[in-house]
Amino acid sequence: YVATASFLGSRIPRNELPNVQDVPYPDMTPASAEDPDLVPDCTMEPMKYNDSPLDTLLLKIFRKLVTKNTGGITSDKDGIEGLLEQGRQFYMQPDQTSEAQNKMVRDTLGGLMTPVLPPFYRIFMSGIVPKAEFVPEDVRGKQIGPWFYAPFLTSFVTPTFFAFLVGPSYPNRRKDGHPGGLVVEKCKFLQESGCKGLCLHQCKLPAQQFFKDELGLSLTVSPNFDTQECQWSFGEEPLPPQDDPSFPKGCLVGCESRKQVAEMGGKADLCSV
């Protein structure tokens, strides 16, 4: 598929390909890093994002929830830059753990969805039987889904409500050819942060865990650090990052977090689990 899609990529619009994972941009020269332990930065032109009023509102709510869930971390910067500064401060705290960062983001996503939406999703999309008194005890809380339509419908709903974090996206097919995919054209979170560790610990892992644990639907988030695209595959079981051949090891060359650690004399690998 990749060979065929790569051939067609210069002849049809990229957004008409069923899936763009591992499909290079036409005429794009792959970047390289002098240090083999580092991941090359994206060399494509930055995308300019036009936030809608809904994006602005959701980002404002999200930042307030981040402040609450990080113990009061704030930033005077506006918009996504302020959110990333909050995330980086939390990320760089001494003795910080991946688990604590994942929990912070999961709690924030849960707050953003309100107490109403997750139960609705669990029942009508993931097929989880409610734990209600009128339900027979032997089936309470059991999952008989996800329903066949859940990945497909989720891929259509998600772009509207997550654009404030990741930018424009559109539904496509998963790598296995099934419906239920979504591709972020050029991730706002990754482009503006330039940090693979923030991508891993404050987006990829917590998003996967939130959908699985809170909503009952598996999700694989697959960022492409060459193009800053990101494939979301609903209904697909994710591999651990250390076992995923598509997730490179090492930090990005231009990562500010890595530079800060180096300036402080540290050698921690912030991009590992």
Side-chain angles (χ1 to χ4, degrees):
Y1 169 79
V2 172
T4 302
S6 299
F7 172 77
L8 293 173
S10 60
R11 293 164 175 79
I12 63 174
R14 191 170 177 84
N15 61 8
E16 292 184 11
L17 293 173
N19 182 279
V20 297
Q21 285 178 274
D22 304 322
V23 179
Y25 263 89
D27 303 321
M28 187 182 86
T29 303
S32 60
E34 295 181 4
D35 188 334
D37 294 328
L38 298 179
V39 178
D41 293 319
C42 175
T43 58
M44 297 177 63
E45 287 293 318
M47 177 179 280
K48 294 183 179 179
Y49 302 99
N50 298 312
D51 292 343
S52 69
L54 177 62
D55 295 334
T56 302
L57 174 63
L58 290 175
L59 181 56
K60 185 175 181 180
I61 296 171
F62 195 85
R63 288 191 59 182
K64 287 183 177 180
L65 290 168
V66 168
T67 298
K68 173 186 174 183
N69 294 324
T70 57
I73 293 178
T74 61
S75 170
D76 293 331
K77 294 182 179 179
D78 294 329
I80 190 70
E81 290 186 359
L83 174 64
L84 291 170
E85 184 170 274
Q86 290 175 272
R88 200 184 301 274
Q89 287 182 48
F90 189 65
Y91 177 63
M92 298 288 290
Q93 286 181 341
D95 302 319
Q96 184 59 275
T97 65
S98 177
E99 291 76 14
Q101 293 182 79
N102 297 170
K103 183 179 185 304
M104 181 275 287
V105 178
R106 292 199 311 270
D107 291 345
T108 301
L109 289 173
L112 186 68
M113 294 190 74
T114 76
V116 176
L117 293 179
F120 179 88
Y121 189 99
R122 286 196 292 267
I123 295 171
F124 295 103
M125 300 288 267
S126 297
I128 298 176
V129 180
K131 296 179 180 179
E133 292 185 2
F134 64 84
V135 177
E137 290 187 13
D138 59 335
V139 295
R140 288 180 191 171
K142 289 189 176 181
Q143 184 166 9
I144 54 178
W147 305 120
F148 70 92
Y149 53 77
F152 175 73
L153 287 183
T154 303
S155 71
F156 272 87
V157 172
T158 302
T160 301
F161 297 101
F162 278 88
F164 77 97
L165 277 178
V166 299
S169 61
Y170 58 89
N172 70 347
R173 289 185 175 269
R174 303 183 324 207
K175 200 170 186 178
D176 61 8
H178 289 92
L182 177 153
V183 61
V184 178
E185 295 181 34
K186 200 168 191 294
C187 179
K188 181 195 295 189
F189 192 88
L190 180 56
Q191 174 181 291
E192 301 303 322
S193 70
C195 181
K196 180 168 164 276
L198 283 176
C199 168
L200 175 65
H201 297 296
Q202 296 187 16
C203 184
K204 174 180 166 63
L205 291 179
Q208 291 176 170
Q209 292 169 359
F210 181 80
F211 268 87
K212 180 66 173 179
D213 298 343
E214 302 300 326
L215 301 181
L217 182 69
S218 298
L219 166 66
T220 296
V221 177
S222 304
N224 182 328
F225 297 101
D226 291 331
T227 65
Q228 293 181 338
E229 292 169 313
C230 189
Q231 175 72 33
W232 289 48
S233 298
F234 299 99
E236 181 180 282
E237 289 290 341
L239 290 171
Q242 62 269 27
D243 298 332
D244 186 352
S246 69
F247 195 84
K249 295 177 172 57
C251 292
L252 292 169
V253 171
C255 175
E256 292 299 323
S257 303
R258 180 179 65 84
K259 293 176 182 178
Q260 289 181 33
V261 171
E263 290 172 358
M264 293 185 295
K267 297 182 180 180
D269 181 4
L270 297 176
C271 298
S272 62
V273 180

